[in-house]
Amino acid sequence: MNAQNKHLKRHHDTWVYSRRVPSALAHLYNSSHITFSLKTSSVKVARLKRDKFNGHLANQMQGTISPEREEFKRHLTVAKEYAEGIKDRDSCLTYDDFFPREPIAHAAYREVAYKDTNHVYSYTAKEALQSLLGRKAKLSDDTKQKLKNALDRFLIFMGVNDVALTEVHKKTVVAYIEHLGNEYAHGTIAAHLSRLKSVWVHAFQLGEITLKQSPFEDHDLSLYKKGESQRKQLFSKEQLNKVLNECPESVRPLAKLALFTGARISELCKADVEVVEGVKCLVVQKGKTKSAERYIPLAEQVKDIELPLRLDDKSAGRTFSTFKIDKITSDSTRSFHSLRNHFITAGQRAENLTEFDVAYVAGHKTGTTMSFGHYARHDVKRLKATVDKVASQIEKEWF
């Protein structure tokens, strides 16, 4: 068979998709094979449809909990209805009337009948993640993806599609940390563990597991620290000139906006635009911290930029990073975030500016208890004056 036509068969003049059901999805299908017409006589179209459905299966396999756990849950439903009757010697009900003689069914029966949870079919990591994502509606798409990626990476390390949380032990996590240490630094490892811990804590809060202390916490990560994290440095005057005039056109407005607003790349890519008291402002609805929610008045220097940008911040970040390394410097302390540092540094050096106003514009914690909308709308003209002074200081020092 032509390798390009894998999972494709020709039936008269029409192409048909045909393959065995992946073992991880067997519990979702009633037969051992998946077969259906692709409704095309074109092999090119058939391949495209085949690839699309293969992608759908891949997503299913990534999101599905283990078939053993699914089977256990089915037996558990039966056990909740009949276990007490089976235990009652005066009843005519017997175990064999409802359950096969196999370990999964036996575990489900004993959990209900005798509160015996000493088995490997209990609440799983993927179940906990799915519940967490479903209940925490306010999580950003980026955070949700990071949670999924963290769990996927851990399961790949374990060599399983899913795992009962009670079967995740501290020694396994220690080995996983050593595995991550071959590729990642302290901060990344700590972030992975924090996300996995949040899945565990969610399961505990639901009462699905009884152990509050997760195996993902209280680890010594000092081995993976390569000294103190380096503060992002400013670009030189020549480097900044190159950034503003030579970086790819797709991110050039983004770089200029970062310099004159002090906003983070994710904020700039997603910010809306609103005119408040006659002042054109960027509106940051959500960001890294609670203080990120704010109005940022725009300086004259960025009036030519078409807003909102509506860019993918991950893609834009990669584009800028590639340009910076190729054309500016490979120094990791100088990055897109350095543009934000230019704004903050200019705010510190400019005369007659309050730290409070500069901190608010930059999205740093200000210590105020006033709400985002209240503070911004009543003081937007004062903030505009702050932004204009910072912009003038930027031009004075680096242009």
Side-chain angles (χ1 to χ4, degrees):
M1 177 187 290
N2 187 341
Q4 289 185 311
N5 294 340
K6 187 176 182 180
H7 304 318
L8 295 178
K9 291 183 179 180
R10 195 174 181 85
H11 181 69
H12 301 302
D13 292 330
T14 302
W15 286 97
V16 174
Y17 181 95
S18 180
R19 67 171 291 175
R20 290 187 64 86
V21 175
S23 58
L25 301 178
H27 59 291
L28 300 179
Y29 290 85
N30 294 324
S31 63
S32 61
H33 282 75
I34 302 172
T35 303
F36 60 89
S37 173
L38 294 171
K39 299 181 179 179
T40 181
S41 59
S42 167
V43 68
K44 290 184 179 180
V45 174
R47 289 169 182 164
L48 289 173
K49 290 187 174 183
R50 181 266 321 269
D51 293 344
K52 182 177 180 180
F53 188 75
N54 282 345
H56 168 69
L57 289 179
N59 288 335
Q60 275 191 309
M61 285 189 282
Q62 188 177 33
T64 186
I65 63 177
S66 70
E68 292 82 6
R69 173 64 180 169
E70 290 283 10
E71 183 179 347
F72 176 83
K73 288 168 69 176
R74 288 196 295 270
H75 289 311
L76 199 64
T77 300
V78 176
K80 287 176 180 178
E81 185 171 354
Y82 297 106
E84 290 303 316
I86 295 171
K87 283 176 61 181
D88 185 357
R89 293 185 177 182
D90 294 330
S91 168
C92 60
L93 302 179
T94 68
Y95 177 93
D96 292 321
D97 290 335
F98 303 97
F99 303 101
R101 292 282 177 176
E102 51 93 10
I104 299 178
H106 186 64
Y109 170 72
R110 287 193 60 82
E111 178 169 317
V112 175
Y114 302 104
K115 311 302 180 187
D116 179 5
T117 58
N118 185 27
H119 56 77
V120 298
Y121 310 111
S122 57
Y123 199 66
T124 71
K126 281 190 175 179
E127 279 184 289
L129 176 62
Q130 289 171 2
S131 174
L132 174 63
L133 298 180
R135 288 171 178 261
K136 305 289 185 180
K138 291 185 178 181
L139 291 177
S140 68
D141 290 341
D142 184 53
T143 299
K144 290 178 180 179
Q145 192 58 51
K146 286 179 178 177
L147 285 166
K148 291 177 182 177
N149 291 343
L151 181 57
D152 286 344
R153 185 180 290 273
F154 181 65
L155 292 176
I156 289 171
F157 169 76
M158 292 191 68
V160 296
N161 179 62
D162 198 6
V163 64
L165 287 174
T166 54
E167 292 299 301
V168 179
H169 305 296
K170 193 99 173 182
K171 282 190 175 181
T172 303
V173 181
V174 171
Y176 180 56
I177 291 170
E178 292 176 356
H179 168 73
L180 290 177
N182 294 325
E183 185 177 355
Y184 298 109
H186 172 272
T188 303
I189 296 172
H192 274 286
L193 295 179
S194 176
R195 290 165 194 142
L196 292 169
K197 176 187 173 183
S198 68
V199 174
W200 182 283
V201 169
H202 178 73
F204 173 78
Q205 290 172 340
L206 293 180
E208 297 289 354
I209 54 176
T210 58
L211 187 62
K212 184 177 182 179
Q213 180 87 8
S214 97
F216 301 106
E217 57 189 297
D218 295 333
H219 289 275
D220 180 9
L221 302 181
S222 58
L223 177 65
Y224 307 102
K225 285 186 176 180
K226 299 178 181 178
E228 294 298 317
S229 60
Q230 295 176 301
R231 184 180 185 274
K232 294 300 181 184
Q233 301 298 312
L234 303 177
F235 289 113
S236 68
K237 184 174 181 178
E238 292 74 19
Q239 289 173 335
L240 186 58
N241 182 269
K242 273 192 171 184
V243 166
L244 295 178
N245 294 292
E246 297 180 22
C247 76
E249 290 186 8
S250 61
V251 294
R252 197 175 300 169
L254 177 67
K256 187 176 182 181
L257 201 60
L259 178 65
F260 287 103
T261 63
R264 303 172 180 91
I265 187 169
S266 59
E267 296 170 346
L268 294 169
C269 290
K270 299 173 183 176
D272 293 314
V273 179
E274 187 176 333
V275 176
V276 182
E277 295 186 17
V279 178
K280 187 176 182 181
C281 300
L282 278 184
V283 185
V284 180
Q285 299 285 2
K286 182 182 287 189
K288 185 178 179 181
T289 66
K290 190 173 182 180
S291 304
E293 299 177 359
R294 64 198 188 279
Y295 286 90
I296 307 175
L298 297 174
E300 287 298 305
Q301 287 83 348
V302 295
K303 66 179 182 180
D304 59 322
I305 296 177
E306 188 175 340
L307 299 170
L309 294 177
R310 292 289 186 267
L311 297 174
D312 177 77
D313 59 299
K314 301 298 182 186
S315 177
R318 287 191 294 269
T319 299
F320 182 88
S321 180
T322 300
F323 160 76
K324 192 266 308 184
I325 293 171
D326 289 346
K327 305 295 184 181
I328 307 295
T329 177
S330 59
D331 181 0
S332 63
T333 66
R334 289 173 171 83
S335 66
F336 190 92
H337 198 79
S338 296
L339 298 170
R340 172 175 168 83
N341 280 10
H342 274 279
F343 182 90
I344 295 170
T345 301
Q348 292 169 341
R349 295 175 181 175
E351 295 181 0
N352 302 319
L353 286 184
T354 70
E355 181 181 351
F356 184 92
D357 288 343
V358 175
Y360 174 85
V361 173
H364 281 161
K365 188 175 182 180
T366 58
T368 181
T369 56
M370 285 187 288
S371 69
F372 153 54
H374 175 86
Y375 176 82
R377 287 184 174 277
H378 283 73
D379 295 88
V380 70
K381 290 185 178 179
R382 189 173 97 195
L383 293 173
K384 176 66 165 68
T386 296
V387 169
D388 288 342
K389 285 183 180 180
V390 173
S392 296
Q393 188 70 24
I394 289 171
E395 290 188 326
K396 177 182 176 181
E397 297 207 27
W398 295 291
F399 278 63

